Amino acid sequence: MAGVLLCTAGLGAFPSTATAEPTGPDVSSWQHSGGRPIDWFAVRASGHRFAMVKATEGLDYINPFFVQDSLHMRVAGIARGTYHYARPELPPEPQAALYAAVVLGQNGPLDMPPVLDIEHSGGLPPAALIDWTHRYLNTVQALTGRVPIVYTYPTFWRTAMADSDQFHRYPLWIADYRDRPAPEVPGRWPAWTFWQQTDSGSIPGIHGPTDVNVYSGAQGDFARFARMGGLTGSGSG
């Protein structure tokens, strides 16, 4: 397994099993069926140290549970990542501005870097989509002061993004649900940072199936990456 990880990710420091590193769900309004809240204390008590929360989509959608989840996660001691779901058929700069305004920065305790979720082309050819992605990421970094994370999946990146290798400065969050010791890494990224391993996980405190992710260690100590500070030793919150 270690050999596969070395070949796939290019980092010898990766753990030999995914369970050796922090795990966490990513959630949106779908995890609030019927308006039910997520019990973030139960999520933390079950061993998960972080979660990714959908903030915005396109030019006019704001997750109605975003503020609620953000506040409860912070009280429970769970590191927070927030993401924007890209609509490349619309201009990138206003989408970046909407996202940045809603999340009010990503620079406090328990804040991980901002995330761009790009998994649709919006009808753009690869060259135009690559340009769109650069513009969005540059704008979000300027507005938040942090280098964003890119979320995608291998087939989309290889086809819609022409397997571009222009984004290596951004940490990679890759979705790959196949039963394998490491995810497929497109675009010759030197490492993956987060791996979304399933979209049908079960986590105490979250109603129904949810995505589950693991951190690779590629960005170093998770507590520092997530700005956990003195909260790293907290239990169930």
Side-chain angles (χ1 to χ4, degrees), residues 118 126 129-130 133 152 156-165 167:
I118 183 160
L129 186 58
I130 289 169
T133 304
T152 193
F156 173 82
W157 198 268
R158 289 198 314 268
T159 56
M161 295 288 283
D163 210 29
S164 173
D165 61 0
F167 297 88

Side-chain angles (χ1 to χ4, degrees), residues 81-95:
T82 67
Y83 68 90
H84 174 78
Y85 188 93
R87 289 295 183 185
E89 68 273 20
L90 302 170
E93 289 85 3
Q95 293 188 58

Side-chain angles (χ1 to χ4, degrees), residues 101-175:
V102 168
V103 301
L104 295 176
Q106 287 289 120
N107 299 291
L110 297 172
D111 273 340
M112 292 188 291
V115 178
L116 171 64
D117 177 344
I118 183 160
E119 50 186 293
H120 294 286
S121 71
L124 299 181
L129 186 58
I130 289 169
D131 177 70
W132 188 100
T133 304
H134 277 302
R135 289 164 57 194
Y136 178 92
L137 294 170
N138 288 338
T139 305
V140 162
Q141 183 171 351
L143 292 173
T144 65
R146 300 190 73 180
V147 176
I149 296 168
V150 173
Y151 169 92
T152 193
Y153 61 93
T155 302
F156 173 82
W157 198 268
R158 289 198 314 268
T159 56
M161 295 288 283
D163 210 29
S164 173
D165 61 0
Q166 299 179 27
F167 297 88
H168 291 178
R169 67 182 294 263
Y170 303 103
L172 174 65
W173 175 15
I174 192 71

